[in-house]
Amino acid sequence: MFQTAFTVAPGRLVAATGPDDVRAAVRHAAAHGLAVTVTNTGHGLAGPVDGGVLLDTSALDEVVVDPRARTARIGGGARWGQVVAAAAPHGLAPLNGSSPGVGVVGYLLGGGLGILGRTYGWAADHVRSLDLVTPDGESRHLAPGDELFGAVLGGGAAHRFGVVTAVTVDLVPVARLYGGSIAFDGAEAAPAEVLRGYLRWARALPATVTSSLAALVYPDLPALPPHLRGRYVLSVRVACTGYSGSTAEGERLVAPLRALGPVMSDSLREMPYTESPTIHADPETPHAYWGDGILLDALDEEALAEVLRLTGPAAGRMAVVQLNHLGGALADAPAAPNSVPYREAAWLVRALYPLGEDGPGPVRELHARVERALAPRTLGRAVNFVFGDGERREGLYDAETAKRLAAVESELDPANLSG
Ligand SMILES: Cc1cc2nc3c(=O)[nH]c(=O)nc-3n(C[C@H](O)[C@H](O)[C@H](O)COP(=O)(O)OP(=O)(O)OC[C@H]3O[C@@H](n4cnc5c(N)ncnc54)[C@H](O)[C@@H]3O)c2cc1C
């Protein structure tokens, strides 16, 4: 499990090797009144597992690319890195997120905010079909327009509709991009000035550029490179597809960022899509963490500067804050209805706190102050970025979507499925 905050002690562990195993496990659990927890990578483990059946889908990891149809059929346990690798020889790319280690299905259940999000929209909007084993142990092939298809995509991270054994998604014709990360030392450059400069730059961008700003104090650990140990670092991460392939064009795009302050590191470059995981360089080592995502209708620069102040060196503990620029195709309505809410959101503030021996109490208190600072512009919370707290459901959906999801869930009666 990537998330190590919880004890995992199931009564039974089923490592599924195909849809038959999934059906058998779900039926067995239903017949014996046992809870089923589905897991793939454990990035999104929502709480402890105590008894019941733990259904591990990670062996269902087949990826088959159809280059003519520009689709990939993906097993319910595959990770995005596998799909990127399988699509790349055809000059195609999936709508993956920042980390190649994240599971395809878990990500899609929560909508899927990709590194090319502003260009292509939510990954859930580009699903062609889903194979789902419902809580009664039956397999259903779902297509756009089906009520359950629309409930699972975007709604499946907070509701239990069944186990996805395979999914078919669109691929996009992206072989190369211009992007990377540029970092500033928070002790040398004024954090609020980097923030303002980034916002000024990002607000003028076309939808072919997706970007975010991250701020964190690195722990003073010997395992880290000396230039990062104990430093407060702000970095802007960029992925741009809409350029002709000339490096000069990319350089012109990011020139205002390079002028924001003394640069600590700069990996902005033209690259093959297969190198895109280097843009965010997400952690690969399992650890304990608590996190939340706050969707904003518009940005209040002062409020965000306050969030940086609260979570920077003054916090006295490590907090990773990311500000994702939304809009562009993320605001478009999907071709077939699904359950990704708050499409009008212009920005997303993600806060992630590694947990120490003092548990989640102190980070909840710190995060409550972050929430208060952002409250006047908050639309709701982003389900894919809620970590280590499966109980917190408020604000994940607008009232209409929440009602529809609850109705579909109660129709399926998934008393035996938990997350
Ligand atoms: C380092 C990191 C980077 C991330 N980057 C992004 C990003 O860029 N964009 C984004 O949108 N999200 C991102 N996320 C969030 C991520 O998409 C969610 O945490 C997602 O739930 C992880 O899915 P998983 O399969 O890897 O994890 P798991 O913990 O294995 O699964 C997560 C949830 O999905 C359910 N699930 C998994 N597989 C199935 C299945 N086959 N059928 C039914 N239910 C299933 C599980 O029961 C669980 O509730 C990131 C998370 C991390 C830790």
Tab-separated table of all heavy atoms in Angstrom, residues 180-190 194 227-228 231-236 254-268:
chain	number	residue	atom	x	y	z
A	180	GLY	N	8.159	20.999	-18.013
A	180	GLY	CA	9.134	20.697	-16.975
A	180	GLY	C	8.799	21.513	-15.748
A	180	GLY	O	7.636	21.917	-15.540
A	181	SER	N	9.825	21.798	-14.990
A	181	SER	CA	9.610	22.486	-13.721
A	181	SER	C	10.701	23.529	-13.514
A	181	SER	O	11.863	23.299	-13.858
A	181	SER	CB	9.651	21.409	-12.632
A	181	SER	OG	9.904	21.973	-11.395
A	182	ILE	N	10.318	24.659	-12.950
A	182	ILE	CA	11.311	25.696	-12.623
A	182	ILE	C	11.117	26.041	-11.146
A	182	ILE	O	9.994	26.276	-10.697
A	182	ILE	CB	11.176	26.923	-13.549
A	182	ILE	CG1	12.229	27.976	-13.185
A	182	ILE	CG2	9.795	27.536	-13.539
A	182	ILE	CD1	12.409	29.039	-14.261
A	183	ALA	N	12.230	26.002	-10.378
A	183	ALA	CA	12.111	26.141	-8.921
A	183	ALA	C	12.832	27.383	-8.418
A	183	ALA	O	13.874	27.784	-8.953
A	183	ALA	CB	12.670	24.897	-8.238
A	184	PHE	N	12.262	27.954	-7.360
A	184	PHE	CA	12.820	29.157	-6.729
A	184	PHE	C	13.013	28.875	-5.246
A	184	PHE	O	12.168	28.225	-4.617
A	184	PHE	CB	11.854	30.344	-6.897
A	184	PHE	CG	11.502	30.598	-8.333
A	184	PHE	CD1	10.386	29.991	-8.909
A	184	PHE	CD2	12.298	31.410	-9.132
A	184	PHE	CE1	10.061	30.191	-10.243
A	184	PHE	CE2	11.977	31.627	-10.469
A	184	PHE	CZ	10.870	31.018	-11.027
A	185	ASP	N	14.103	29.378	-4.697
A	185	ASP	CA	14.369	29.229	-3.272
A	185	ASP	C	13.535	30.271	-2.526
A	185	ASP	O	13.710	31.484	-2.741
A	185	ASP	CB	15.871	29.456	-3.037
A	185	ASP	CG	16.262	29.210	-1.590
A	185	ASP	OD1	15.393	29.346	-0.703
A	185	ASP	OD2	17.437	28.882	-1.348
A	186	GLY	N	12.635	29.802	-1.670
A	186	GLY	CA	11.730	30.706	-0.955
A	186	GLY	C	12.449	31.659	-0.015
A	186	GLY	O	11.857	32.647	0.425
A	187	ALA	N	13.718	31.358	0.306
A	187	ALA	CA	14.469	32.271	1.182
A	187	ALA	C	15.069	33.420	0.382
A	187	ALA	O	15.333	34.500	0.919
A	187	ALA	CB	15.572	31.509	1.903
A	188	GLU	N	15.273	33.187	-0.928
A	188	GLU	CA	15.880	34.236	-1.770
A	188	GLU	C	14.829	35.036	-2.528
A	188	GLU	O	14.920	36.252	-2.641
A	188	GLU	CB	16.841	33.596	-2.785
A	188	GLU	CG	18.128	33.111	-2.143
A	188	GLU	CD	19.020	32.428	-3.170
A	188	GLU	OE1	18.879	32.709	-4.374
A	188	GLU	OE2	19.840	31.602	-2.751
A	189	ALA	N	13.847	34.331	-3.072
A	189	ALA	CA	12.780	35.034	-3.799
A	189	ALA	C	11.604	35.191	-2.831
A	189	ALA	O	11.335	34.299	-2.049
A	189	ALA	CB	12.351	34.193	-5.000
A	190	ALA	N	10.910	36.312	-2.882
A	190	ALA	CA	9.764	36.499	-1.984
A	190	ALA	C	8.621	35.598	-2.470
A	190	ALA	O	8.171	35.735	-3.607
A	190	ALA	CB	9.338	37.957	-2.008
A	194	VAL	N	6.617	35.440	-6.196
A	194	VAL	CA	6.602	34.304	-7.136
A	194	VAL	C	5.151	33.934	-7.438
A	194	VAL	O	4.770	33.714	-8.597
A	194	VAL	CB	7.371	33.085	-6.550
A	194	VAL	CG1	7.232	31.868	-7.451
A	194	VAL	CG2	8.845	33.436	-6.340
A	227	HIS	N	21.126	20.384	-1.786
A	227	HIS	CA	20.550	21.689	-2.119
A	227	HIS	C	19.065	21.798	-1.747
A	227	HIS	O	18.502	22.889	-1.784
A	227	HIS	CB	20.771	22.020	-3.598
A	227	HIS	CG	19.915	21.209	-4.531
A	227	HIS	ND1	20.189	19.906	-4.849
A	227	HIS	CD2	18.796	21.522	-5.216
A	227	HIS	CE1	19.266	19.450	-5.683
A	227	HIS	NE2	18.413	20.418	-5.926
A	228	LEU	N	18.428	20.686	-1.378
A	228	LEU	CA	17.007	20.738	-1.012
A	228	LEU	C	16.772	20.633	0.490
A	228	LEU	O	15.728	21.064	1.001
A	228	LEU	CB	16.241	19.596	-1.696
A	228	LEU	CG	16.098	19.677	-3.214
A	228	LEU	CD1	15.343	18.468	-3.735
A	228	LEU	CD2	15.370	20.960	-3.633
A	231	ARG	N	15.072	23.302	2.843
A	231	ARG	CA	14.805	24.542	2.077
A	231	ARG	C	13.310	24.690	1.749
A	231	ARG	O	12.604	23.704	1.529
A	231	ARG	CB	15.601	24.534	0.757
A	231	ARG	CG	17.076	24.352	0.936
A	231	ARG	CD	17.751	25.603	1.489
A	231	ARG	NE	18.072	26.555	0.441
A	231	ARG	CZ	19.176	26.482	-0.297
A	231	ARG	NH1	20.041	25.488	-0.140
A	231	ARG	NH2	19.431	27.399	-1.214
A	232	TYR	N	12.866	25.936	1.704
A	232	TYR	CA	11.499	26.242	1.267
A	232	TYR	C	11.569	26.493	-0.237
A	232	TYR	O	12.245	27.426	-0.688
A	232	TYR	CB	10.993	27.487	2.002
A	232	TYR	CG	9.555	27.858	1.676
A	232	TYR	CD1	8.570	26.888	1.548
A	232	TYR	CD2	9.163	29.188	1.541
A	232	TYR	CE1	7.251	27.227	1.275
A	232	TYR	CE2	7.840	29.542	1.270
A	232	TYR	CZ	6.893	28.549	1.140
A	232	TYR	OH	5.583	28.877	0.866
A	233	VAL	N	10.894	25.645	-1.016
A	233	VAL	CA	11.021	25.697	-2.471
A	233	VAL	C	9.653	25.937	-3.108
A	233	VAL	O	8.670	25.283	-2.746
A	233	VAL	CB	11.632	24.383	-3.011
A	233	VAL	CG1	11.727	24.400	-4.531
A	233	VAL	CG2	13.010	24.148	-2.404
A	234	LEU	N	9.618	26.890	-4.042
A	234	LEU	CA	8.408	27.105	-4.842
A	234	LEU	C	8.738	26.706	-6.268
A	234	LEU	O	9.788	27.100	-6.790
A	234	LEU	CB	7.989	28.579	-4.813
A	234	LEU	CG	7.551	29.078	-3.438
A	234	LEU	CD1	8.636	29.942	-2.823
A	234	LEU	CD2	6.246	29.833	-3.540
A	235	SER	N	7.866	25.906	-6.893
A	235	SER	CA	8.164	25.536	-8.279
A	235	SER	C	6.920	25.634	-9.142
A	235	SER	O	5.800	25.399	-8.678
A	235	SER	CB	8.771	24.138	-8.357
A	235	SER	OG	7.905	23.205	-7.793
A	236	VAL	N	7.156	26.007	-10.383
A	236	VAL	CA	6.071	26.064	-11.368
A	236	VAL	C	6.268	24.890	-12.315
A	236	VAL	O	7.363	24.674	-12.820
A	236	VAL	CB	6.095	27.392	-12.153
A	236	VAL	CG1	4.983	27.403	-13.209
A	236	VAL	CG2	5.937	28.584	-11.214
A	254	VAL	N	7.922	30.372	-21.663
A	254	VAL	CA	8.284	30.315	-20.236
A	254	VAL	C	9.221	31.450	-19.812
A	254	VAL	O	9.573	31.532	-18.629
A	254	VAL	CB	8.912	28.941	-19.868
A	254	VAL	CG1	7.928	27.811	-20.164
A	254	VAL	CG2	10.235	28.720	-20.583
A	255	ALA	N	9.595	32.330	-20.747
A	255	ALA	CA	10.530	33.420	-20.401
A	255	ALA	C	10.061	34.233	-19.188
A	255	ALA	O	10.863	34.532	-18.285
A	255	ALA	CB	10.768	34.314	-21.613
A	256	PRO	N	8.754	34.568	-19.075
A	256	PRO	CA	8.331	35.342	-17.898
A	256	PRO	C	8.552	34.591	-16.586
A	256	PRO	O	8.773	35.203	-15.544
A	256	PRO	CB	6.833	35.584	-18.144
A	256	PRO	CG	6.650	35.425	-19.619
A	256	PRO	CD	7.640	34.400	-20.046
A	257	LEU	N	8.495	33.266	-16.635
A	257	LEU	CA	8.732	32.497	-15.403
A	257	LEU	C	10.200	32.602	-14.997
A	257	LEU	O	10.530	32.728	-13.818
A	257	LEU	CB	8.379	31.013	-15.617
A	257	LEU	CG	6.909	30.692	-15.883
A	257	LEU	CD1	6.733	29.200	-16.154
A	257	LEU	CD2	6.045	31.113	-14.696
A	258	ARG	N	11.081	32.553	-15.992
A	258	ARG	CA	12.515	32.592	-15.690
A	258	ARG	C	12.922	33.945	-15.104
A	258	ARG	O	13.980	34.052	-14.492
A	258	ARG	CB	13.326	32.271	-16.952
A	258	ARG	CG	13.197	30.793	-17.308
A	258	ARG	CD	14.037	30.396	-18.491
A	258	ARG	NE	14.126	28.935	-18.561
A	258	ARG	CZ	14.071	28.229	-19.667
A	258	ARG	NH1	13.956	28.825	-20.838
A	258	ARG	NH2	14.157	26.921	-19.620
A	259	ALA	N	12.038	34.924	-15.301
A	259	ALA	CA	12.352	36.266	-14.784
A	259	ALA	C	11.746	36.506	-13.396
A	259	ALA	O	11.860	37.598	-12.850
A	259	ALA	CB	11.816	37.312	-15.772
A	260	LEU	N	11.130	35.461	-12.818
A	260	LEU	CA	10.422	35.678	-11.549
A	260	LEU	C	11.338	35.857	-10.340
A	260	LEU	O	10.916	36.369	-9.312
A	260	LEU	CB	9.470	34.508	-11.259
A	260	LEU	CG	8.171	34.472	-12.045
A	260	LEU	CD1	7.318	33.285	-11.626
A	260	LEU	CD2	7.395	35.760	-11.828
A	261	GLY	N	12.569	35.379	-10.439
A	261	GLY	CA	13.481	35.494	-9.300
A	261	GLY	C	14.699	34.641	-9.553
A	261	GLY	O	14.799	34.013	-10.613
A	262	PRO	N	15.641	34.594	-8.578
A	262	PRO	CA	16.816	33.735	-8.755
A	262	PRO	C	16.373	32.268	-8.869
A	262	PRO	O	15.658	31.775	-7.998
A	262	PRO	CB	17.631	33.961	-7.477
A	262	PRO	CG	16.962	35.060	-6.729
A	262	PRO	CD	15.592	35.275	-7.302
A	263	VAL	N	16.760	31.626	-9.962
A	263	VAL	CA	16.278	30.271	-10.246
A	263	VAL	C	17.167	29.240	-9.545
A	263	VAL	O	18.385	29.287	-9.624
A	263	VAL	CB	16.272	30.037	-11.773
A	263	VAL	CG1	15.965	28.582	-12.095
A	263	VAL	CG2	15.240	30.952	-12.433
A	264	MET	N	16.515	28.299	-8.878
A	264	MET	CA	17.238	27.264	-8.138
A	264	MET	C	17.503	26.052	-9.026
A	264	MET	O	18.573	25.456	-9.000
A	264	MET	CB	16.341	26.859	-6.970
A	264	MET	CG	16.962	26.062	-5.920
A	264	MET	SD	15.684	25.856	-4.649
A	264	MET	CE	16.573	24.776	-3.592
A	265	SER	N	16.484	25.665	-9.807
A	265	SER	CA	16.668	24.592	-10.793
A	265	SER	C	15.655	24.819	-11.910
A	265	SER	O	14.613	25.447	-11.696
A	265	SER	CB	16.486	23.213	-10.162
A	265	SER	OG	15.148	23.056	-9.754
A	266	ASP	N	15.987	24.304	-13.090
A	266	ASP	CA	15.157	24.588	-14.267
A	266	ASP	C	15.239	23.392	-15.217
A	266	ASP	O	16.295	23.138	-15.804
A	266	ASP	CB	15.706	25.864	-14.938
A	266	ASP	CG	14.895	26.293	-16.155
A	266	ASP	OD1	14.102	25.476	-16.665
A	266	ASP	OD2	15.068	27.445	-16.597
A	267	SER	N	14.143	22.644	-15.330
A	267	SER	CA	14.142	21.487	-16.243
A	267	SER	C	13.195	21.721	-17.416
A	267	SER	O	12.769	20.775	-18.076
A	267	SER	CB	13.739	20.216	-15.490
A	267	SER	OG	12.363	20.271	-15.152
A	268	LEU	N	12.837	22.987	-17.680
A	268	LEU	CA	11.916	23.292	-18.778
A	268	LEU	C	12.598	22.983	-20.096
A	268	LEU	O	13.709	23.452	-20.367
A	268	LEU	CB	11.489	24.758	-18.712
A	268	LEU	CG	10.638	25.112	-17.487
A	268	LEU	CD1	10.598	26.620	-17.259
A	268	LEU	CD2	9.224	24.554	-17.642
